[in-house]
């Protein structure tokens, strides 16, 4: 799953960076709310994590075609408390005129805030770290397994319990 998050995260990072040079058109906010998002916790205490995010919908027109967008910002951060989310939502009340930045090659792709949310670097970094650890284990474990089996075959003698009595030295250069 880290690979999928990284792939889509990198796409959103790219689009977020490109959005700084996108044209804008007038738009209007048609929906604005603070939504509570519950995520299953991986903590020892097993309490669910609750975040708050600003959800918006806005309408805009490009080349006489009407669109509706819902992106506040690429990889927009969520808030761990409701109050900061309410402060952010106050910037986007229903009926408010806004500038909508849109991809000139795909006008249905739009955002109200150009750039990339502040949490994106952490997300991309963690996914990259998990992928690197997984790749290291994928390529290292078979080598270690072969060394262990080789050491067992070379040094092992059956014991009364039927198990081989052997010792593998990971610092040894023997293959």
């Amino acid at each position: 799953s880290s690979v999928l998050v990284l792939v889509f995260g990198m796409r959103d990072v790219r689009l977020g960076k490109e959005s700084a040079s996108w044209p804008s058109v007038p738009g209007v906010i048609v929906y604005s709310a603070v939504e509570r998002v519950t995520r299953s916790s991986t903590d020892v205490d097993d309490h669910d994590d609750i975040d708050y995010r600003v959800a918006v919908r806005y309408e805009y027109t490009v080349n006489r075609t009407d669109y509706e967008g819902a992106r506040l910002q690429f990889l927009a951060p969520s808030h761990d408390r409701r109050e900061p989310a309410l402060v952010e939502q106050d910037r986007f009340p229903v009926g408010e005129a806004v500038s909508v930045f849109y991809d000139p090659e795909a006008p249905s792709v739009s955002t109200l805030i150009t750039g990339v949310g502040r949490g994106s670097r952490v997300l991309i970094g963690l996914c990259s770290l998990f992928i690197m650890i997984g790749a290291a284990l994928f390529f290292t474990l078979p080598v270690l397994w072969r060394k262990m089996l080789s050491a067992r075959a070379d040094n092992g003698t059956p014991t009364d319990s039927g198990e081989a009595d052997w010792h593998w030295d990971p610092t040894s250069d023997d293959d």
Side-chain angles (χ1 to χ4, degrees):
S1 75
S2 289
V3 172
L4 288 176
V5 171
L6 183 63
V7 167
F8 287 109
M10 292 301 291
R11 175 189 162 272
D12 280 358
V13 167
R14 178 183 54 80
L15 288 171
K17 287 180 178 180
E18 289 175 3
S19 70
S21 63
W22 287 352
S24 67
V25 293
V28 63
I29 301 289
V30 295
Y31 173 82
S32 179
V34 171
E35 295 181 347
R36 180 179 166 154
V37 180
T38 304
R39 293 179 287 119
S40 296
S41 175
T42 57
D43 294 342
V44 175
D45 63 7
D46 205 28
H47 288 100
D48 288 339
D49 292 327
I50 298 172
D51 286 336
Y52 299 90
R53 70 178 191 89
V54 176
V56 295
R57 282 196 312 273
Y58 47 90
E59 295 174 344
Y60 62 103
T61 303
V62 176
N63 297 329
R64 290 181 270 157
T65 301
D66 294 332
Y67 295 97
E68 183 173 284
R71 182 176 292 107
L72 188 59
Q73 182 179 30
F74 288 94
L75 298 172
S78 59
H79 303 275
D80 58 355
R81 294 179 300 115
R82 184 174 171 79
E83 291 76 25
L86 289 169
V87 169
E88 183 179 24
Q89 181 207 11
D90 284 345
R91 294 176 46 204
F92 305 99
V94 172
E96 181 80 5
V98 292
S99 291
V100 178
F101 299 88
Y102 67 93
D103 184 342
E105 295 179 18
S108 63
V109 177
S110 63
T111 186
L112 295 182
I113 302 172
T114 61
V116 182
R118 68 180 182 270
S120 63
R121 289 181 181 88
V122 173
L123 174 70
I124 300 300
L126 285 175
C127 289
S128 298
L129 176 66
F130 290 139
I131 290 169
M132 287 187 295
I133 290 171
L137 291 174
F138 179 80
F139 291 109
T140 304
L141 287 178
V143 172
L144 293 175
W145 182 253
R146 282 193 300 274
K147 280 190 172 192
M148 185 185 74
L149 291 178
S150 175
R152 186 175 186 175
D154 292 344
N155 302 330
T157 56
T159 63
D160 292 335
S161 67
E163 295 180 9
D165 180 23
W166 60 276
H167 173 72
W168 174 60
D169 182 3
T171 60
S172 170
D173 288 335
D174 297 336
D175 282 327

